[in-house]
Structure formats: C-alpha cells, structure tokens
Amino acid sequence: MMNYSSGPPETESRTLPTPAVRAEGLTVVRGPRTVLRGLDFTVPRGQITGLLGPSGCGKSTLMRAIVGTQAKVTGTLDVLGLSAGHPTLRTRIGYVTQAPSVYDDLTVRQNLDYFAAILTLGRAASARRTDIDRVLADVDLTTHADSLAGNLSGGQRSRVSLAVALLGTPELLILDEPTVGLDPVLRRDLWNLFHDIAASRGATLLISSHVMDEAERCHRLLLMREGEILADDTPDALRTRTGSETVEAAFLHLVDEAAAAGRRKETAR
Amino acid sequence: MSTPTTKKPTKPTKKPTMNTTAPTSALNVSRTTATAARVLRQLRHDPRTIVMMILIPCVMLFLLRYVFDGSPRTFDGIGASLLGIFPLITMFLVTSIATLRERTSGTLERLLAMPLGKGDLIAGYALAFGTLAIIQSALATGLAVWFLGLDVVGSPWLLLLVALLDALLGTALGLFVSAFAASEFQAVQFMPAVIFPQLLLCGLFTPRDNMHPVLEAISDVLPMSYAVDGMNEVLRHTDMTATFIRDVLIVAGCALLVLGLGAATLRRRTA
C-alpha cells in the first residue's frame, strides 16, 4: 500500500498520482428523471471539497454514486484510482448519509462495536476499542456512550452516524450534510475536526451542504444546480471571478449568468 | 519511501455499473456472528418482545389442550402441527419487520457500502432468530409433551428439528417479502397473504386428500404442508420414516431457496 499520510496535504508541489475522485460524463438516471447530466470534475486528495447547491440539485445522488450505492450510473467515475463501487474501496471510504443510519435500539457503543467488527476484521479487540474511544471523543459523545441511540437528540444521533464513518481511518470521507441541525458551537468543533482529519491524516473530505456560509471553510467548492456543476474552484477564486463578497452572492451570480446564457441560446435558435 | 508518482495513471475504467459482481467472500464467520450478536442485542433492549415470542406459543398450546379436553386425539394432531407452525409464523413476522427497518433506516445501505457480504447478513439473521426459535420450540415442545400429555410416538428431538427448520423457513420468507413492503403496514399484511393460505391448506383443519383436487395440488407445492406432515410423522411413528426424511428435506430445501431469493433482493446499488 502507498502511504499518503506523511507530509502536509497542502504541499501542492508534489503531484499525487490520481485525484481522490475523477468524473467524466457522469450521468445518473433515477426513474424518468436524469438527476446528474454528464458531470466532469475532480476532487483533489488531502483537501476539503464542499459540494454546495440547493436541495434536490443532485448532491446526495452524486455522493451515492461515488460511494457505489447508486444504480444506473454511466460515464467514468474513478474513486481513489479505482472504478467507483470497487469492493476494495469499501474499507477505504467513510460515508455518512443525510438521515442518521444507526440502530436506535442499540447503545452508541454497541453501534460502533458492530460496525467496527464489520469494517476492521482481524484486528485485536483492544485496537478496536481504542478506535471506538477515539471516534467517540472526536464527535464529543464520550459521556453518551452507553445511551440508546434512539434516546439521543437529532444532532447527537447524526454525530453517532458520523462516528461510524470515522472508524478505521478511511482515506476518503463522504459526508452528506453532516452539520445540519447542529448548534453553532458544535458546528465549529466539527469543522475543526474535519480540517484536522485532512491535515493530520491527509484524508480527502467531500462535504455537502445547502448552507452557503459553510462554503468559506472548504479548500475547494463544487457548486451544483439542477444536476449540473456551475463552478469548480476555490472560495477565493469564485468570489474574485464573480466580483462578489460572499460565496452565496457568487452562487447567485453564476445562476443568473447560466440562466441568461440559456435564454440567449433559446433566442438564437 | 516509494514515490507514488512512479505509478502509472490507472487506465481508463469501464462504466462503474460493471462492478456489481463483488468478490466479497460469500460467508465470513466473524462478520456473521457479529451480525447475529448485534440482532440479539437489539432484541435484548426489547424484553417484552422476547417474552411474548416465547410465552405466546405455550399459552396457545395450553388453551388448545383444554379446548379439546374431551378429545385428546384431536389435541395430538393439532398440537403437533402447531408446534411446527408457531416458529414459522413468529420468525416470519420478526424477520420481515426487522429487515424492513434495516432497509428504511439506511443501515442496510451503510452495511452494503461496507465490506459485509450479503450472505453474512442473511446468515447472521438466520443464526440469531434460529437461536430464539430453538428456545421457543424447546419450551413449547417440552410443555406439550410432558405437561399437556401430547402423545408422541417418535422422539421429541425430531419435533424440535422440524420446528427449527420451520423457523428458518419463516426467517427466509420474512426476509424475502420485506423487499416488497414499503412500510410496516404492508409488511404485516404479508402475514395473511403468505401465511394464511398455507395455514388453511397445510392439513391442519382437514386432511389434505379430503380437499378439492385443485386445492390439494396447490397444497402439494406449499412448504408448510410438509412441515405439518413431518410433525405428524413423528407423532405416529417410532422411527424416522422415509416420508419424514422427505418432508425435512423439502422444508430445508425451501428455506435455502427462499434465503437465496432473499439474498437477491439485497442490492448494493439502488435507484
């Protein structure tokens, strides 16, 4: 195995072999609807990429395609150098769905115990235990370890779900709206954790949100709208290019621009 | 340290949809036992369900014994059949609801995105509910044979064997139908849809050869008929008869077949 953990991830000088995610002409059809329309993009390694856009624009579908749980995916989609859904990727990707997917009738620790047993096969029980203690501390749930997941608040349950994804140090974390419904202090703490994971482990994070102010905390942004990618850039470059003060304003600017371009095409016909 | 840059860029890959054939090993013992332990742990947080699963068959048998107080022969026939039917119904209900929950809560999607084989999940459920079925059947059989005077000519162990296979069949059917239920309401309705016809045709109410030939032919292809038949063979014969062995094999075969069908309904990629 190659080891990417050494060295700060921000050193752009060293060209990494493959991006964490590379898509070419990525299209997903769900029922009668084409949810993703021929997307081309890359997600660089060792950074936090924000996936932003309004509800229903295809963020979750895109994430499911990367994880390999989405059906009817066409085009090219490579994840960590392998084609998406490859069996060996299953231990290398941590995935958090929008709705917390944990067992409500188990305690927090029992949930983690089970998923750790599925993920980290053959590791000693003590190693698994320290891993579980670490992720509990990461999401600040150590004091709730023995509570039933079903008795926790919504925000706490979503943090249990996040803790499961952090088990076994995955190289790529796909987090679908992990900070929704959390108070500002927790949100700040989690974003600090995300930055820490990227910096210290060199892990790649793809984090979706429909809250634009979270965009400022990402290294790169993918702005999505109606199954298409409007922009793929750093927050700074986006603001400069559109002459906007915030990413939100930049996004609105790009939406208007796209709409105007669409109208021009219509009238030219 | 080896520089990753020396590695050639990976060659263009095929469509990602080509990867659905996962070489994840079909069955892994520690993942299976971890799953079984998890299912049992979930149930342990719900003691009322456990008590009901174990007590209700006993109460029913007790009731039946005194309903047929005047004709112990009738109790023998129906009691033995019910010993086979209870585990099937209980496990069907428990499994269909449990796996439906797993599907709707997102935990199934999460597990299938992890290195868990479909066989591990199914075998884990079968192992957990099979264990419960053994406890349930042992208590019910013990009560019927030693306290309610159920007159069994053959070995009670064979009754237990059939009961266990019935439980597996129930687990398999529950797992399979949960794929077609979008809600708990629908899942519960599968019980009258899948179980009741078998109950009517299995020979519990009237011998199967007394039925209309069409119904008899239908009952010939329903697995519960063989479960009840097997129970009655143990009831009447000291040794394992050829019919008993046939019945046991058919019930086991059906359970495996439906488990296989259930596995096919677990998709790593969903729309």
Side-chain angles (χ1 to χ4, degrees):
Chain A
M1 276 307 300
M2 287 173 286
N3 181 15
Y4 298 113
S5 59
S6 61
E10 262 76 35
T11 48
E12 301 274 328
S13 53
R14 205 182 74 179
T15 38
L16 290 163
T18 46
V21 181
R22 187 176 66 87
E24 267 170 38
L26 174 67
T27 302
V28 174
V29 179
R30 288 184 79 176
R33 234 159 56 86
T34 305
V35 184
L36 301 180
R37 304 157 189 277
L39 305 189
D40 300 302
F41 66 89
T42 56
V43 174
R45 292 207 192 215
Q47 294 193 346
I48 299 180
T49 301
L51 182 59
L52 285 106
S55 303
C57 71
K59 299 190 294 288
S60 295
T61 306
L62 175 56
M63 293 189 137
R64 281 170 43 88
I66 294 171
V67 174
T69 56
Q70 180 66 47
K72 295 192 177 165
V73 182
T74 48
T76 305
L77 182 58
D78 288 349
V79 179
L80 301 174
L82 295 160
S83 154
H86 194 279
T88 59
L89 289 175
R90 285 182 200 140
T91 47
R92 298 169 65 194
I93 303 179
Y95 172 44
V96 181
T97 49
Q98 219 168 69
S101 41
V102 292
Y103 297 101
D104 280 347
D105 42 6
L106 291 181
T107 67
V108 174
R109 190 179 284 282
Q110 285 171 343
N111 265 293
L112 292 169
D113 264 338
Y114 175 55
F115 287 113
I118 298 302
L119 268 177
T120 54
L121 208 61
R123 276 176 71 190
S126 60
R128 214 180 275 167
R129 216 183 157 72
T130 41
D131 200 28
I132 290 170
D133 288 335
R134 172 183 63 84
V135 297
L136 276 172
D138 276 351
V139 300
D140 194 22
L141 280 178
T142 308
T143 50
H144 290 80
D146 296 317
S147 311
L148 276 185
N151 291 344
L152 298 177
S153 74
Q156 287 168 330
R157 283 176 73 234
S158 64
R159 278 185 284 150
V160 181
S161 199
L162 175 63
V164 174
L166 298 177
L167 286 168
T169 57
E171 293 161 61
L172 174 63
L173 277 166
I174 308 284
L175 311 178
D176 201 349
E177 311 221 334
T179 56
V180 165
L182 299 183
D183 65 80
V185 179
L186 260 173
R187 252 169 55 168
R188 183 200 59 197
D189 290 352
L190 281 184
W191 275 101
N192 286 343
L193 171 69
F194 298 155
H195 276 277
D196 185 54
I197 289 171
S200 65
R201 284 197 228 140
T204 309
L205 292 92
L206 182 65
I207 303 175
S208 78
S209 179
H210 62 263
V211 189
M212 291 287 170
D213 62 344
E214 300 209 311
E216 315 283 347
R217 307 178 198 250
C218 301
H219 298 125
R220 288 193 73 83
L221 293 174
L222 288 171
L223 294 189
M224 274 186 83
R225 188 170 176 271
E226 290 175 3
E228 283 169 14
I229 287 185
L230 281 184
D232 175 1
D233 222 328
T234 64
D236 278 338
L238 266 176
R239 279 189 301 261
T240 322
R241 198 175 78 186
T242 55
S244 319
E245 293 215 340
T246 60
V247 172
E248 183 160 1
F251 177 75
L252 292 173
H253 181 94
L254 289 167
V255 169
D256 291 342
E257 211 175 68
R263 269 197 301 276
R264 269 200 300 281
K265 228 182 276 171
E266 289 281 305
T267 46
R269 226 171 260 164
Chain B
M1 194 186 118
S2 70
T3 42
T5 36
T6 55
K7 198 168 175 263
K8 274 219 201 106
T10 44
K11 57 173 185 288
T13 38
K14 290 168 279 306
K15 283 196 296 187
T17 38
M18 300 295 285
N19 277 313
T20 36
T21 48
T24 312
S25 60
L27 212 61
N28 174 301
V29 176
S30 58
R31 285 193 178 117
T32 301
T33 48
T35 304
R38 183 263 297 174
V39 173
L40 289 174
R41 235 177 240 151
Q42 281 179 286
L43 270 178
R44 217 176 57 197
H45 288 290
D46 187 4
R48 197 182 298 171
T49 298
I50 301 181
V51 170
M52 285 168 78
M53 279 172 83
I54 286 171
L55 280 190
I56 287 175
C58 294
V59 174
M60 285 298 162
L61 281 170
F62 191 78
L63 207 65
L64 207 66
R65 163 69 184 79
Y66 292 100
V67 165
F68 293 108
D69 204 26
S71 53
R73 300 283 312 168
T74 319
F75 174 67
D76 286 348
I78 297 184
S81 306
L82 280 184
L83 281 178
I85 292 169
F86 278 135
L88 201 156
I89 293 182
T90 330
M91 294 310 143
F92 175 83
L93 277 176
V94 177
T95 315
S96 59
I97 298 288
T99 45
L100 180 71
R101 269 202 216 162
E102 190 108 60
R103 286 175 205 271
T104 50
S105 69
T107 46
L108 182 69
E109 181 176 336
R110 167 163 251 163
L111 284 175
L112 291 180
M114 287 183 174
L116 179 79
K118 295 170 190 177
D120 299 335
L121 187 69
I122 290 176
Y125 267 101
L127 197 62
F129 290 145
T131 310
L132 270 175
I134 289 179
I135 299 171
Q136 185 198 53
S137 305
L139 279 173
T141 309
L143 178 79
V145 173
W146 286 303
F147 292 95
L148 300 178
L150 184 79
D151 207 1
V152 188
V153 178
S155 157
W157 290 108
L158 293 180
L159 284 184
L160 206 58
L161 172 71
V162 181
L164 179 64
L165 289 175
D166 290 347
L168 277 183
L169 180 63
T171 301
L173 284 170
L175 186 80
F176 179 63
V177 303
S178 77
F180 304 98
S183 68
E184 268 94 343
F185 290 140
Q186 290 180 11
V188 175
Q189 293 307 318
F190 272 114
M191 145 99 176
V194 174
I195 302 292
F196 278 20
Q198 298 201 59
L199 209 56
L200 286 174
L201 297 178
C202 70
L204 177 66
F205 295 102
T206 180
R208 293 197 289 131
D209 45 19
N210 286 359
M211 293 176 194
H212 188 281
V214 174
L215 292 185
E216 194 191 342
I218 295 176
S219 80
D220 282 344
V221 295
L222 295 177
M224 200 192 277
S225 308
Y226 297 93
V228 167
D229 204 45
M231 284 297 192
N232 282 311
E233 287 295 308
V234 184
L235 194 72
R236 294 198 199 95
H237 303 277
T238 30
D239 305 316
M240 274 198 267
T241 59
T243 319
F244 174 79
I245 292 171
R246 180 207 65 181
D247 291 338
V248 164
L249 288 179
I250 288 179
V251 174
C254 281
L256 285 179
L257 179 76
V258 183
L259 277 179
L261 289 175
T265 68
L266 299 174
R267 292 281 168 84
R268 289 199 193 263
R269 286 181 182 274
T270 49

